[in-house]
């Protein structure tokens, strides 16, 4: 329970699943918006339905993710 509190997640499984479902729906809505833009350098679908996810640039990597990579 203490870990759940530290990471800001519910301690009860049903609540955690509901929260995860909400987060998934939000992420999918964001992805749908991104795909609708169709910008070539961003996440997009090709004409035959292939999902293209370009690599992150160096400036797009958060510092907390970069530090372990340097170790």
């Amino acid at each position: 329970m203490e870990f759940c509190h530290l990471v800001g997640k519910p301690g009860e499984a049903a609540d955690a699943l509901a929260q995860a479902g909400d987060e998934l729906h939000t992420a999918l809505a964001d992805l749908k918006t991104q795909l609708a833009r169709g910008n070539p350098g961003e996440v997009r679908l090709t004409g035959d339905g292939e999902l293209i996810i370009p690599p992150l640039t160096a400036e797009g990597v958060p510092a907390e993710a970069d530090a372990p990579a340097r170790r």
Side-chain angles (χ1 to χ4, degrees), residues 1-13 15-24:
M1 207 47 120
E2 185 177 336
F3 175 78
C4 293
H5 179 70
L6 288 172
V7 296
K9 296 294 181 182
E12 297 296 320
D15 296 335
L17 287 172
Q19 183 179 4
D22 291 343
E23 291 169 358
L24 175 62

Side-chain angles (χ1 to χ4, degrees), residues 30-46:
D30 291 345
L31 178 59
K32 183 177 180 180
T33 300
Q34 179 70 32
L35 292 174
R37 286 189 200 129
N39 293 334
E42 298 177 353
V43 174
R44 64 193 185 282
L45 285 175
T46 64

